[in-house]
Every structure is written in C-alpha cells, then in structure tokens.
C-alpha cells in the first residue's frame, strides 16, 4: 500500500532509482587496463582479475566491469605496470676500506597479485619497506667485493646483474619479479676520503700522460732517424748515378739559401771554388 503510494509520486520514483543505482554500484566495480584486481572474501583471495601475462597485447586483458558480492567481497588493486623503487645515499665500503655513497634504483612488477596480497596483508607499502633493505643488502654484498677505483667506474654490469638476481630471488615470495637494478650515481663522501681519492686519480693520470709523452718522443726520434737515413740513401744513390748533377744541385741549393734575401755580402775572388758552377761547364 505504502509502496504503491510511493510509486505514484515522482519523488518516489527518483528515490527508487537511486536505490537501484546504489545496489548496482555495490555489485559491480571497474578494473582499468593498467590494474590487476584481487577479489578478497573474508580476508582470503578468491579470484584475480586482469592478471599480468607476459607478451599479452593491449586490449586482450580482462579489464572492465567485475561483479562481486556486496559487503562480503573486497577488491584489492595492484598496478600491472613496471614499478621503480629508489634508494639514495647507500653506504658501501670497498675492499680497500674506502667508503662511498651510492644511489640505486630497482624496477619490478607484480606477477602474482594474490600472493602479493597475502604476503603484504593488503598493504602495498609493506613491500616497499621490505624491498629497500633487500636492495641495500644486495648492493653492499656485491659491490663491497670491489676496490674503490672500480666502484667509481660507470660500467659494473656483472656486479649489478648479481644484485638483480639476489633481489629477484628474495622478491619472488611476494609474487614480484625484479627486472633490473642500476646505479644512478656513486661518489666518495666529502672531506679527506674525497680529497685523497682525487689526488690519487690525478697522480695516476699524470703518470699515464708521462708514459704517453715518453712513448711519443721515442717514436718520433725513431721516425726522424729513419727519415734521415732514407734521405742519406737517396743522396748517395743520386750521387752514385750522376756525380756531376749531384754536385750542381748542391751548389744551386747553397746559392739559394745564401743569396736569396739579397742582404748577404761576401768578398771572394772570381776564381773562388764557391762560384765554380758559373764557369764554363762547372769545371775548374
């Protein structure tokens, strides 16, 4: 009776429509393309919606509307995309006892949302708080095997691969796979350690520069000796083939060097040996 009276009233229809919309909203939820959803019933994962599948194309996932039992079922959302965890100022001691500070980051993805929910008790921040110490421990264990000179170099691929493998193994109990671990920056702390390292690097570079200069000087001297020997050989061969032409060539070369600028003054007898090439046939 009251319901019939309510339905005859436009306001009653509006109230009924609102109730229907609220009921539908409590039954259905939306899972985005970039999300994975764990349907949890009474604290226990019951199903996973839109689970990440390696190599799956865009649009082939199970994203969209998902039905659930109101009040009983809860939805726990997990990002399907690769996530980044940063770790700054991690102290590392090299094998030669010198401290450095390292900034690193790890890239990971949740591949088992149900296990991730169970391991973190529904709080994703728990995983980040656990992964950071894991990353710091792996960095200290692997990079601490290197001398400080190697730690300051940009290429540490084998060591970083070992860090990544160690983290990946530990993260699998969370349903997570670690794809990559990299160092952003490594630096010596300010003060005496930094000044000492810079001084040693400068001395090393100076020693290398001295060695390069010595090698260059030695090589240049060898080239010069080889060139002079080749010139002497050419002169000797030329002299042997035509002594008169060789004598004439040397005289003309001497005249050009001595008299070219016009400022040279010489007091010589017309019969001087120096001008014999001007006499008939260049002979005495």
């Amino acid at each position: 009776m009251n319901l019939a009276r309510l339905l005859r009233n436009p306001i009653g229809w509006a109230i009924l429509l609102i109730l229907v919309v609220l009921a539908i909203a409590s039954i259905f939820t939306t899972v985005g393309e970039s999300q994975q959803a764990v349907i949890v019933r009474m604290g226990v994962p019951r199903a996973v919606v839109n689970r990440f599948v390696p190599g799956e194309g865009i649009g082939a996932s199970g994203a969209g509307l998902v039905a659930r039992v109101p009040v009983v079922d809860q939805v726990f959302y997990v990002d399907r995309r690769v996530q980044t965890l940063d770790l700054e100022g991690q102290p590392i001691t090299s094998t030669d006892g010198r401290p450095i500070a390292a900034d690193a980051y790890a890239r990971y993805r949740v591949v088992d949302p149900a296990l991730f929910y169970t391991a973190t008790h529904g709080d994703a921040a728990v995983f980040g708080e656990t992964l950071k110490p894991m990353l710091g421990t792996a960095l200290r264990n692997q990079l601490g095997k290197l001398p400080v000179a190697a730690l300051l170099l940009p290429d540490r691929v084998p060591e970083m691969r070992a860090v990544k493998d160690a983290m990946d193994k530990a993260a699998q109990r969370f349903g997570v796979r670690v794809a990559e671990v990299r160092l952003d920056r490594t630096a010596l702390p300010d003060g005496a350690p930094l000044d000492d390292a810079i001084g040693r690097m400068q001395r090393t570079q100076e020693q290398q520069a001295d060695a390069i200069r010595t090698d260059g000087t030695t090589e240049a001297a060898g080239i010069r000796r080889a060139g002079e020997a080749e010139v002497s050989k050419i002169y000797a061969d030329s002299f042997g083939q035509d002594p008169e032409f060789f004598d004439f060539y040397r005289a003309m070369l001497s005249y050009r060097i001595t008299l070219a600028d016009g400022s040279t003054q010489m007091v010589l007898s017309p019969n001087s040996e120096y001008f014999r090439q001007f006499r008939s046939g260049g002979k005495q």
Side-chain angles (χ1 to χ4, degrees):
M1 185 73 177
N2 293 334
L3 179 60
R5 188 181 303 112
L6 181 65
L7 293 178
R8 285 194 296 268
N9 190 330
I11 296 177
W13 278 104
I15 294 174
L16 181 61
L17 180 60
I18 292 173
L19 292 176
V20 171
V21 170
L22 292 176
I24 294 174
S26 65
I27 295 174
F28 293 98
T29 186
T30 303
V31 179
E33 288 282 352
S34 63
Q35 294 176 317
Q36 304 177 85
V38 183
I39 307 301
V40 181
R41 179 171 296 174
M42 306 300 291
V44 178
R46 182 179 63 87
V48 175
V49 179
N50 199 27
R51 181 193 295 271
F52 169 75
V53 178
E56 184 178 67
I58 298 176
S61 64
L65 289 176
V66 177
R68 60 177 174 177
V69 178
V71 182
V72 177
D73 290 343
Q74 295 179 335
V75 181
F76 177 70
Y77 294 99
V78 180
D79 206 311
R80 298 176 88 238
R81 297 168 295 186
V82 174
Q83 305 296 303
T84 300
L85 180 72
D86 295 317
L87 184 66
E88 299 180 355
Q90 180 63 34
I92 299 174
T93 303
S94 64
T95 53
D96 45 4
R98 298 185 181 277
I100 70 165
D103 293 345
Y105 66 87
R107 299 190 187 279
Y108 66 92
R109 190 198 304 268
V110 178
V111 297
D112 190 338
L115 179 57
F116 185 77
Y117 173 84
T118 302
T120 61
H121 305 289
D123 186 0
V126 171
F127 176 70
E129 295 170 358
T130 304
L131 189 63
K132 280 191 175 182
M134 288 164 47
L135 176 56
T137 300
L139 285 173
R140 287 192 297 272
N141 290 342
Q142 297 300 326
L143 300 186
K145 300 176 183 178
L146 300 176
V148 68
L151 288 173
L152 297 176
L153 294 175
D155 187 11
R156 290 170 293 268
V157 173
E159 291 75 21
M160 297 312 298
R161 186 179 296 116
V163 173
K164 175 258 180 187
D165 292 342
M167 289 192 61
D168 183 58
K169 183 177 180 180
Q172 288 183 34
R173 65 186 178 91
F174 289 88
V176 173
R177 297 304 302 265
V178 176
E180 180 184 34
V181 177
R182 292 291 183 92
L183 284 178
D184 268 344
R185 183 181 67 93
T186 55
L188 289 163
D190 295 335
L194 178 59
D195 297 338
D196 181 56
I198 292 175
R200 286 187 293 105
M201 293 173 66
Q202 289 177 340
R203 289 191 294 272
T204 300
Q205 294 298 322
E206 290 171 358
Q207 292 172 357
Q208 293 177 351
D210 290 341
I212 292 172
R213 279 193 291 268
T214 300
D215 292 343
T217 302
T218 303
E219 185 175 356
I223 294 173
R224 188 179 300 108
R225 286 193 298 270
E228 292 173 351
E230 184 67 19
V231 170
S232 299
K233 182 178 181 302
I234 293 173
Y235 279 146
D237 292 343
S238 300
F239 183 78
Q241 293 176 7
D242 193 341
E244 292 184 1
F245 175 77
F246 184 71
D247 185 58
F248 173 77
Y249 174 78
R250 292 189 62 185
M252 294 300 106
L253 184 63
S254 175
Y255 296 155
R256 187 183 69 178
I257 295 174
T258 305
L259 305 175
D261 61 357
S263 62
T264 302
Q265 297 181 0
M266 294 186 295
V267 179
L268 297 173
S269 169
N271 297 324
S272 172
E273 180 66 18
Y274 186 71
F275 294 110
R276 62 186 175 83
Q277 294 294 339
F278 291 103
R279 294 194 291 270
S280 178
K283 299 180 180 178
Q284 298 184 19

